[in-house]
PDB file of all heavy atoms in Angstrom:
ATOM      1  N   ALA B 232      -4.327  34.532 -41.996  1.00  0.00           N
ATOM      2  CA  ALA B 232      -2.960  35.034 -42.094  1.00  0.00           C
ATOM      3  C   ALA B 232      -2.480  35.566 -40.744  1.00  0.00           C
ATOM      4  O   ALA B 232      -1.335  35.323 -40.336  1.00  0.00           O
ATOM      5  CB  ALA B 232      -2.883  36.133 -43.154  1.00  0.00           C
ATOM      6  N   GLU B 233      -3.355  36.272 -40.030  1.00  0.00           N
ATOM      7  CA  GLU B 233      -2.941  36.839 -38.747  1.00  0.00           C
ATOM      8  C   GLU B 233      -2.699  35.741 -37.707  1.00  0.00           C
ATOM      9  O   GLU B 233      -1.812  35.861 -36.867  1.00  0.00           O
ATOM     10  CB  GLU B 233      -3.987  37.829 -38.228  1.00  0.00           C
ATOM     11  CG  GLU B 233      -4.183  39.073 -39.091  1.00  0.00           C
ATOM     12  CD  GLU B 233      -3.034  40.081 -38.978  1.00  0.00           C
ATOM     13  OE1 GLU B 233      -2.060  39.799 -38.244  1.00  0.00           O
ATOM     14  OE2 GLU B 233      -3.110  41.135 -39.631  1.00  0.00           O
ATOM     15  N   ILE B 234      -3.495  34.661 -37.764  1.00  0.00           N
ATOM     16  CA  ILE B 234      -3.253  33.542 -36.842  1.00  0.00           C
ATOM     17  C   ILE B 234      -1.859  32.979 -37.095  1.00  0.00           C
ATOM     18  O   ILE B 234      -1.071  32.786 -36.169  1.00  0.00           O
ATOM     19  CB  ILE B 234      -4.322  32.435 -37.023  1.00  0.00           C
ATOM     20  CG1 ILE B 234      -5.670  32.898 -36.491  1.00  0.00           C
ATOM     21  CG2 ILE B 234      -3.900  31.159 -36.302  1.00  0.00           C
ATOM     22  CD1 ILE B 234      -6.801  31.909 -36.705  1.00  0.00           C
ATOM     23  N   THR B 235      -1.538  32.744 -38.371  1.00  0.00           N
ATOM     24  CA  THR B 235      -0.253  32.176 -38.712  1.00  0.00           C
ATOM     25  C   THR B 235       0.885  33.010 -38.139  1.00  0.00           C
ATOM     26  O   THR B 235       1.832  32.501 -37.545  1.00  0.00           O
ATOM     27  CB  THR B 235      -0.103  32.106 -40.250  1.00  0.00           C
ATOM     28  OG1 THR B 235      -1.257  31.487 -40.779  1.00  0.00           O
ATOM     29  CG2 THR B 235       1.136  31.352 -40.639  1.00  0.00           C
ATOM     30  N   PHE B 236       0.740  34.320 -38.312  1.00  0.00           N
ATOM     31  CA  PHE B 236       1.792  35.219 -37.864  1.00  0.00           C
ATOM     32  C   PHE B 236       1.873  35.236 -36.336  1.00  0.00           C
ATOM     33  O   PHE B 236       2.957  35.260 -35.759  1.00  0.00           O
ATOM     34  CB  PHE B 236       1.481  36.612 -38.399  1.00  0.00           C
ATOM     35  CG  PHE B 236       2.641  37.532 -38.357  1.00  0.00           C
ATOM     36  CD1 PHE B 236       3.765  37.283 -39.123  1.00  0.00           C
ATOM     37  CD2 PHE B 236       2.617  38.658 -37.556  1.00  0.00           C
ATOM     38  CE1 PHE B 236       4.835  38.131 -39.088  1.00  0.00           C
ATOM     39  CE2 PHE B 236       3.687  39.514 -37.515  1.00  0.00           C
ATOM     40  CZ  PHE B 236       4.801  39.258 -38.282  1.00  0.00           C
ATOM     41  N   SER B 237       0.712  35.198 -35.674  1.00  0.00           N
ATOM     42  CA  SER B 237       0.684  35.350 -34.216  1.00  0.00           C
ATOM     43  C   SER B 237       1.168  34.101 -33.497  1.00  0.00           C
ATOM     44  O   SER B 237       1.654  34.193 -32.366  1.00  0.00           O
ATOM     45  CB  SER B 237      -0.736  35.687 -33.755  1.00  0.00           C
ATOM     46  OG  SER B 237      -1.245  36.751 -34.514  1.00  0.00           O
ATOM     47  N   ILE B 238       1.026  32.924 -34.126  1.00  0.00           N
ATOM     48  CA  ILE B 238       1.483  31.695 -33.467  1.00  0.00           C
ATOM     49  C   ILE B 238       2.954  31.834 -33.083  1.00  0.00           C
ATOM     50  O   ILE B 238       3.367  31.469 -31.987  1.00  0.00           O
ATOM     51  CB  ILE B 238       1.268  30.473 -34.396  1.00  0.00           C
ATOM     52  CG1 ILE B 238      -0.221  30.164 -34.518  1.00  0.00           C
ATOM     53  CG2 ILE B 238       1.981  29.250 -33.852  1.00  0.00           C
ATOM     54  CD1 ILE B 238      -0.532  29.053 -35.501  1.00  0.00           C
ATOM     55  N   SER B 239       3.727  32.412 -33.986  1.00  0.00           N
ATOM     56  CA  SER B 239       5.147  32.596 -33.708  1.00  0.00           C
ATOM     57  C   SER B 239       5.353  33.450 -32.458  1.00  0.00           C
ATOM     58  O   SER B 239       6.177  33.126 -31.604  1.00  0.00           O
ATOM     59  CB  SER B 239       5.844  33.268 -34.882  1.00  0.00           C
ATOM     60  OG  SER B 239       6.191  32.325 -35.836  1.00  0.00           O
ATOM     61  N   TYR B 240       4.598  34.547 -32.368  1.00  0.00           N
ATOM     62  CA  TYR B 240       4.735  35.421 -31.199  1.00  0.00           C
ATOM     63  C   TYR B 240       4.372  34.684 -29.928  1.00  0.00           C
ATOM     64  O   TYR B 240       5.058  34.782 -28.912  1.00  0.00           O
ATOM     65  CB  TYR B 240       3.863  36.663 -31.356  1.00  0.00           C
ATOM     66  CG  TYR B 240       4.496  37.722 -32.208  1.00  0.00           C
ATOM     67  CD1 TYR B 240       4.060  37.955 -33.505  1.00  0.00           C
ATOM     68  CD2 TYR B 240       5.544  38.479 -31.715  1.00  0.00           C
ATOM     69  CE1 TYR B 240       4.662  38.916 -34.289  1.00  0.00           C
ATOM     70  CE2 TYR B 240       6.141  39.446 -32.485  1.00  0.00           C
ATOM     71  CZ  TYR B 240       5.692  39.665 -33.780  1.00  0.00           C
ATOM     72  OH  TYR B 240       6.294  40.613 -34.548  1.00  0.00           O
ATOM     73  N   VAL B 241       3.238  33.931 -29.979  1.00  0.00           N
ATOM     74  CA  VAL B 241       2.806  33.202 -28.787  1.00  0.00           C
ATOM     75  C   VAL B 241       3.904  32.251 -28.329  1.00  0.00           C
ATOM     76  O   VAL B 241       4.271  32.223 -27.152  1.00  0.00           O
ATOM     77  CB  VAL B 241       1.506  32.426 -29.070  1.00  0.00           C
ATOM     78  CG1 VAL B 241       1.122  31.580 -27.874  1.00  0.00           C
ATOM     79  CG2 VAL B 241       0.378  33.380 -29.400  1.00  0.00           C
ATOM     80  N   THR B 242       4.468  31.497 -29.271  1.00  0.00           N
ATOM     81  CA  THR B 242       5.474  30.517 -28.858  1.00  0.00           C
ATOM     82  C   THR B 242       6.734  31.217 -28.341  1.00  0.00           C
ATOM     83  O   THR B 242       7.318  30.795 -27.357  1.00  0.00           O
ATOM     84  CB  THR B 242       5.846  29.564 -30.009  1.00  0.00           C
ATOM     85  OG1 THR B 242       6.188  30.344 -31.149  1.00  0.00           O
ATOM     86  CG2 THR B 242       4.708  28.660 -30.352  1.00  0.00           C
ATOM     87  N   VAL B 243       7.127  32.316 -29.000  1.00  0.00           N
ATOM     88  CA  VAL B 243       8.326  33.023 -28.541  1.00  0.00           C
ATOM     89  C   VAL B 243       8.127  33.539 -27.118  1.00  0.00           C
ATOM     90  O   VAL B 243       8.987  33.402 -26.255  1.00  0.00           O
ATOM     91  CB  VAL B 243       8.683  34.183 -29.493  1.00  0.00           C
ATOM     92  CG1 VAL B 243       9.672  35.129 -28.849  1.00  0.00           C
ATOM     93  CG2 VAL B 243       9.252  33.641 -30.780  1.00  0.00           C
ATOM     94  N   ILE B 244       6.944  34.129 -26.865  1.00  0.00           N
ATOM     95  CA  ILE B 244       6.696  34.707 -25.547  1.00  0.00           C
ATOM     96  C   ILE B 244       6.600  33.604 -24.489  1.00  0.00           C
ATOM     97  O   ILE B 244       7.158  33.716 -23.396  1.00  0.00           O
ATOM     98  CB  ILE B 244       5.400  35.543 -25.553  1.00  0.00           C
ATOM     99  CG1 ILE B 244       5.570  36.758 -26.465  1.00  0.00           C
ATOM    100  CG2 ILE B 244       5.034  35.996 -24.153  1.00  0.00           C
ATOM    101  CD1 ILE B 244       4.270  37.524 -26.688  1.00  0.00           C
ATOM    102  N   LEU B 245       5.890  32.520 -24.814  1.00  0.00           N
ATOM    103  CA  LEU B 245       5.587  31.521 -23.789  1.00  0.00           C
ATOM    104  C   LEU B 245       6.699  30.504 -23.572  1.00  0.00           C
ATOM    105  O   LEU B 245       6.775  29.887 -22.515  1.00  0.00           O
ATOM    106  CB  LEU B 245       4.284  30.795 -24.128  1.00  0.00           C
ATOM    107  CG  LEU B 245       3.032  31.627 -23.878  1.00  0.00           C
ATOM    108  CD1 LEU B 245       1.793  30.846 -24.247  1.00  0.00           C
ATOM    109  CD2 LEU B 245       2.951  32.062 -22.416  1.00  0.00           C
ATOM    110  N   ARG B 246       7.563  30.329 -24.562  1.00  0.00           N
ATOM    111  CA  ARG B 246       8.606  29.308 -24.432  1.00  0.00           C
ATOM    112  C   ARG B 246       9.454  29.501 -23.190  1.00  0.00           C
ATOM    113  O   ARG B 246       9.674  28.582 -22.411  1.00  0.00           O
ATOM    114  CB  ARG B 246       9.515  29.310 -25.661  1.00  0.00           C
ATOM    115  CG  ARG B 246       9.139  28.285 -26.683  1.00  0.00           C
ATOM    116  CD  ARG B 246      10.015  28.398 -27.880  1.00  0.00           C
ATOM    117  NE  ARG B 246      11.072  27.403 -27.817  1.00  0.00           N
ATOM    118  CZ  ARG B 246      11.760  27.038 -28.901  1.00  0.00           C
ATOM    119  NH1 ARG B 246      11.514  27.596 -30.058  1.00  0.00           N
ATOM    120  NH2 ARG B 246      12.691  26.128 -28.801  1.00  0.00           N
ATOM    121  N   SER B 247       9.925  30.749 -22.998  1.00  0.00           N
ATOM    122  CA  SER B 247      10.802  30.984 -21.853  1.00  0.00           C
ATOM    123  C   SER B 247      10.029  30.827 -20.544  1.00  0.00           C
ATOM    124  O   SER B 247      10.568  30.355 -19.546  1.00  0.00           O
ATOM    125  CB  SER B 247      11.410  32.384 -21.954  1.00  0.00           C
ATOM    126  OG  SER B 247      10.384  33.333 -22.065  1.00  0.00           O
ATOM    127  N   ARG B 248       8.755  31.201 -20.564  1.00  0.00           N
ATOM    128  CA  ARG B 248       7.922  31.046 -19.360  1.00  0.00           C
ATOM    129  C   ARG B 248       7.767  29.578 -18.999  1.00  0.00           C
ATOM    130  O   ARG B 248       7.864  29.183 -17.845  1.00  0.00           O
ATOM    131  CB  ARG B 248       6.542  31.648 -19.608  1.00  0.00           C
ATOM    132  CG  ARG B 248       6.501  33.117 -19.546  1.00  0.00           C
ATOM    133  CD  ARG B 248       6.461  33.580 -18.106  1.00  0.00           C
ATOM    134  NE  ARG B 248       7.680  34.275 -17.757  1.00  0.00           N
ATOM    135  CZ  ARG B 248       8.312  34.130 -16.620  1.00  0.00           C
ATOM    136  NH1 ARG B 248       7.876  33.303 -15.726  1.00  0.00           N
ATOM    137  NH2 ARG B 248       9.403  34.804 -16.375  1.00  0.00           N
ATOM    138  N   ILE B 249       7.503  28.748 -20.033  1.00  0.00           N
ATOM    139  CA  ILE B 249       7.315  27.319 -19.785  1.00  0.00           C
ATOM    140  C   ILE B 249       8.624  26.697 -19.308  1.00  0.00           C
ATOM    141  O   ILE B 249       8.650  25.888 -18.384  1.00  0.00           O
ATOM    142  CB  ILE B 249       6.803  26.612 -21.053  1.00  0.00           C
ATOM    143  CG1 ILE B 249       5.419  27.155 -21.420  1.00  0.00           C
ATOM    144  CG2 ILE B 249       6.736  25.117 -20.844  1.00  0.00           C
ATOM    145  CD1 ILE B 249       4.921  26.719 -22.761  1.00  0.00           C
ATOM    146  N   ALA B 250       9.712  27.130 -19.947  1.00  0.00           N
ATOM    147  CA  ALA B 250      11.010  26.584 -19.561  1.00  0.00           C
ATOM    148  C   ALA B 250      11.338  26.949 -18.114  1.00  0.00           C
ATOM    149  O   ALA B 250      12.051  26.216 -17.427  1.00  0.00           O
ATOM    150  CB  ALA B 250      12.094  27.100 -20.507  1.00  0.00           C
ATOM    151  N   ALA B 251      10.816  28.089 -17.652  1.00  0.00           N
ATOM    152  CA  ALA B 251      11.109  28.513 -16.284  1.00  0.00           C
ATOM    153  C   ALA B 251      10.258  27.775 -15.252  1.00  0.00           C
ATOM    154  O   ALA B 251      10.566  27.799 -14.063  1.00  0.00           O
ATOM    155  CB  ALA B 251      10.893  30.017 -16.146  1.00  0.00           C
ATOM    156  N   LEU B 252       9.188  27.125 -15.711  1.00  0.00           N
ATOM    157  CA  LEU B 252       8.356  26.358 -14.781  1.00  0.00           C
ATOM    158  C   LEU B 252       9.140  25.177 -14.241  1.00  0.00           C
ATOM    159  O   LEU B 252       9.982  24.619 -14.921  1.00  0.00           O
ATOM    160  CB  LEU B 252       7.107  25.830 -15.492  1.00  0.00           C
ATOM    161  CG  LEU B 252       5.968  26.782 -15.772  1.00  0.00           C
ATOM    162  CD1 LEU B 252       4.812  25.982 -16.356  1.00  0.00           C
ATOM    163  CD2 LEU B 252       5.534  27.491 -14.519  1.00  0.00           C
ATOM    164  N   ASN B 253       8.836  24.793 -13.024  1.00  0.00           N
ATOM    165  CA  ASN B 253       9.497  23.643 -12.447  1.00  0.00           C
ATOM    166  C   ASN B 253       8.752  22.378 -12.884  1.00  0.00           C
ATOM    167  O   ASN B 253       7.628  22.133 -12.449  1.00  0.00           O
ATOM    168  CB  ASN B 253       9.484  23.779 -10.925  1.00  0.00           C
ATOM    169  CG  ASN B 253      10.317  22.705 -10.271  1.00  0.00           C
ATOM    170  OD1 ASN B 253      10.784  21.794 -10.951  1.00  0.00           O
ATOM    171  ND2 ASN B 253      10.479  22.814  -8.973  1.00  0.00           N
ATOM    172  N   PRO B 254       9.364  21.552 -13.739  1.00  0.00           N
ATOM    173  CA  PRO B 254       8.659  20.361 -14.231  1.00  0.00           C
ATOM    174  C   PRO B 254       8.402  19.358 -13.117  1.00  0.00           C
ATOM    175  O   PRO B 254       7.577  18.458 -13.252  1.00  0.00           O
ATOM    176  CB  PRO B 254       9.605  19.793 -15.294  1.00  0.00           C
ATOM    177  CG  PRO B 254      10.935  20.364 -14.984  1.00  0.00           C
ATOM    178  CD  PRO B 254      10.724  21.664 -14.278  1.00  0.00           C
ATOM    179  N   GLU B 255       9.108  19.520 -11.992  1.00  0.00           N
ATOM    180  CA  GLU B 255       8.938  18.547 -10.912  1.00  0.00           C
ATOM    181  C   GLU B 255       7.546  18.653 -10.284  1.00  0.00           C
ATOM    182  O   GLU B 255       7.034  17.679  -9.751  1.00  0.00           O
ATOM    183  CB  GLU B 255      10.011  18.761  -9.848  1.00  0.00           C
ATOM    184  CG  GLU B 255      11.389  18.446 -10.406  1.00  0.00           C
ATOM    185  CD  GLU B 255      12.463  18.500  -9.344  1.00  0.00           C
ATOM    186  OE1 GLU B 255      12.139  18.873  -8.212  1.00  0.00           O
ATOM    187  OE2 GLU B 255      13.598  18.168  -9.669  1.00  0.00           O
ATOM    188  N   VAL B 256       6.962  19.857 -10.364  1.00  0.00           N
ATOM    189  CA  VAL B 256       5.612  20.002  -9.820  1.00  0.00           C
ATOM    190  C   VAL B 256       4.648  19.138 -10.623  1.00  0.00           C
ATOM    191  O   VAL B 256       3.783  18.451 -10.086  1.00  0.00           O
ATOM    192  CB  VAL B 256       5.190  21.487  -9.867  1.00  0.00           C
ATOM    193  CG1 VAL B 256       3.785  21.648  -9.322  1.00  0.00           C
ATOM    194  CG2 VAL B 256       6.158  22.332  -9.077  1.00  0.00           C
ATOM    195  N   GLU B 257       4.854  19.179 -11.943  1.00  0.00           N
ATOM    196  CA  GLU B 257       4.027  18.357 -12.817  1.00  0.00           C
ATOM    197  C   GLU B 257       4.229  16.875 -12.504  1.00  0.00           C
ATOM    198  O   GLU B 257       3.276  16.095 -12.429  1.00  0.00           O
ATOM    199  CB  GLU B 257       4.457  18.636 -14.256  1.00  0.00           C
ATOM    200  CG  GLU B 257       3.345  18.659 -15.264  1.00  0.00           C
ATOM    201  CD  GLU B 257       3.897  19.091 -16.598  1.00  0.00           C
ATOM    202  OE1 GLU B 257       4.097  20.309 -16.812  1.00  0.00           O
ATOM    203  OE2 GLU B 257       4.161  18.205 -17.410  1.00  0.00           O
ATOM    204  N   GLU B 258       5.476  16.500 -12.294  1.00  0.00           N
ATOM    205  CA  GLU B 258       5.772  15.099 -12.008  1.00  0.00           C
ATOM    206  C   GLU B 258       5.219  14.697 -10.658  1.00  0.00           C
ATOM    207  O   GLU B 258       4.776  13.559 -10.470  1.00  0.00           O
ATOM    208  CB  GLU B 258       7.283  14.862 -12.088  1.00  0.00           C
ATOM    209  CG  GLU B 258       7.730  14.701 -13.532  1.00  0.00           C
ATOM    210  CD  GLU B 258       9.232  14.840 -13.682  1.00  0.00           C
ATOM    211  OE1 GLU B 258       9.952  14.469 -12.750  1.00  0.00           O
ATOM    212  OE2 GLU B 258       9.660  15.329 -14.739  1.00  0.00           O
ATOM    213  N   ALA B 259       5.235  15.639  -9.723  1.00  0.00           N
ATOM    214  CA  ALA B 259       4.647  15.348  -8.409  1.00  0.00           C
ATOM    215  C   ALA B 259       3.164  15.040  -8.560  1.00  0.00           C
ATOM    216  O   ALA B 259       2.634  14.118  -7.946  1.00  0.00           O
ATOM    217  CB  ALA B 259       4.852  16.527  -7.470  1.00  0.00           C
TER     218      ALA B 259
END
Side-chain angles (χ1 to χ4, degrees):
Chain B
E233 296 286 2
I234 289 176
T235 310
F236 197 65
S237 310
I238 289 175
S239 276
Y240 279 105
V241 175
T242 52
V243 165
I244 294 172
L245 285 180
R246 263 177 99 161
S247 55
R248 283 280 113 221
I249 296 170
L252 283 185
N253 188 353
E255 294 186 355
V256 179
E257 217 174 280
E258 280 165 32

